[in-house]
Amino acid sequence: MKIIMLGAPGAGKGTQAIMIADKYGIPHVSTGDIFRANIKNNTPLGQEAKTYMDKGMLVPDELTVKILLDRVAQDDCKNGYVLDGFPRTIVQADVLKDALNKLGDHIDHAINVDVPDENIIKRMSGRRACVKCGATYHIEHVPPKKEGICDNCGEALVLRDDDKPETVKKRLDVYHEQTQPLIDYYNKEGILKNVDGTQEMNKVFEDITKILG
Ligand code: ADP
Ligand code: ADP
Ligand code: ZN
């Protein structure tokens, strides 16, 4: 099963993608996580991506597409995957579609996690991230067992540089301009499924599992 998660930054794509990956036994592929791991290790890719991410801008398509296609070509992606944060532009969606078509393959579901902008700003300031394993918490809604420490791996949690309110506003603008058109794109492809992302996270997941079966 191949799944795409759509939604504004902070809508809960990552949170749901991790639960989907766990239940259906497929890898969670997050371009944001890949970029952040590269930034942490100070690779050339990380250095380049950081200049865009810190400004709330998208990393250029050319770079992003290459990273993603390399990742999904790996062995563990053979039986499917859940893409979180990719595609974010029509160009990226077209490249993915063509690459899959060449293999006689396709995306099964594009799940749009719908959350209005007002809720987003509030959520982001409370988000805490583990850069080591990719887990995400929220100081009020999804607190870790021990304050500031990742439940999975014990790493110290951080407030992402790009989760500061000014950058979140910029990312929302970028989302509306470049990523939101993908809702229409996948609707025309006949694979778009909408879920109400303002609900409690287990309820959102219940709605998603009804779609995925
Ligand atoms: P969020 O979880 O808030 O949606 P992500 O972790 O997915 O954020 O992405 C963080 C940043 O990484 C984005 O703001 C962007 O700069 C960069 N990025 C991630 N995925 C992509 C992509 N598919 N195309 C371009 N830039 C991306
Ligand atoms: P995205 O990957 O779309 O950027 P995340 O999954 O990182 O979003 O979630 C953004 C923030 O909101 C995180 O702090 C997360 O713990 C919290 N969160 C996720 N889902 C919900 C929900 N249904 N209700 C309240 N908070 C949530
Ligand atoms: Zn962790």
Side-chain angles (χ1 to χ4, degrees):
M1 185 155 50
K2 298 188 172 67
I3 304 164
I4 287 172
M5 304 302 291
L6 293 176
K13 301 180 297 297
T15 302
Q16 297 300 325
I18 288 169
M19 292 197 270
I20 294 169
D22 191 47
K23 181 172 164 96
Y24 295 91
I26 50 178
H28 165 222
V29 174
S30 156
T31 38
D33 284 353
I34 296 173
F35 290 139
R36 279 184 292 278
N38 276 275
I39 291 172
K40 196 177 176 212
N41 296 325
N42 205 19
T43 67
L45 167 67
Q47 287 169 5
E48 180 164 6
K50 187 171 167 40
T51 60
Y52 298 96
M53 290 168 75
D54 283 353
K55 291 187 205 126
M57 293 163 63
L58 294 184
V59 177
D61 286 332
E62 208 188 342
L63 195 61
T64 308
V65 157
K66 187 177 175 313
I67 301 296
L68 189 277
L69 292 183
D70 283 352
R71 178 65 189 90
V72 297
Q74 285 171 25
D75 237 24
D76 64 328
C77 288
K78 259 199 321 247
N79 296 323
Y81 41 77
V82 50
L83 299 186
D84 162 21
F86 185 99
R88 266 182 154 95
T89 64
I90 300 278
V91 170
Q92 292 178 14
D94 281 339
V95 172
L96 177 65
K97 185 163 100 177
D98 290 348
L100 287 172
N101 280 350
K102 275 192 195 127
L103 303 168
D105 206 351
H106 60 271
I107 296 291
D108 299 291
H109 305 278
I111 298 173
N112 179 39
V113 184
D114 190 23
V115 176
D117 287 8
E118 309 85 82
N119 306 37
I120 297 285
I121 310 260
K122 254 187 269 165
R123 271 197 198 178
M124 300 297 247
S125 57
R127 170 154 71 177
R128 294 294 178 274
C130 173
V131 184
K132 195 167 170 196
C133 76
T136 301
Y137 302 86
H138 190 282
I139 51 177
E140 282 165 43
H141 308 300
V142 194
K145 291 198 184 79
K146 194 168 163 216
E147 198 185 314
I149 302 292
C150 179
D151 291 349
N152 299 332
C153 70
E155 183 87 353
L157 300 175
V158 297
L159 171 65
R160 282 167 42 178
D161 286 339
D162 61 346
D163 278 351
K164 311 215 157 77
E166 324 79 76
T167 319
V168 170
K169 287 205 187 79
K170 169 71 184 165
R171 288 162 65 203
L172 276 172
D173 289 344
V174 169
Y175 166 76
H176 289 301
E177 199 177 303
Q178 302 198 57
T179 308
Q180 206 173 22
L182 291 176
I183 295 175
D184 212 36
Y185 179 103
Y186 288 113
N187 196 18
K188 287 195 180 115
E189 299 263 307
I191 58 168
L192 183 79
K193 317 283 155 61
N194 282 299
V195 293
D196 175 1
T198 63
Q199 309 174 92
E200 189 266 310
M201 64 184 234
N202 291 318
K203 181 68 182 64
V204 179
F205 187 58
E206 202 183 301
D207 288 357
I208 291 177
T209 54
K210 278 185 199 142
I211 292 165
L212 300 180

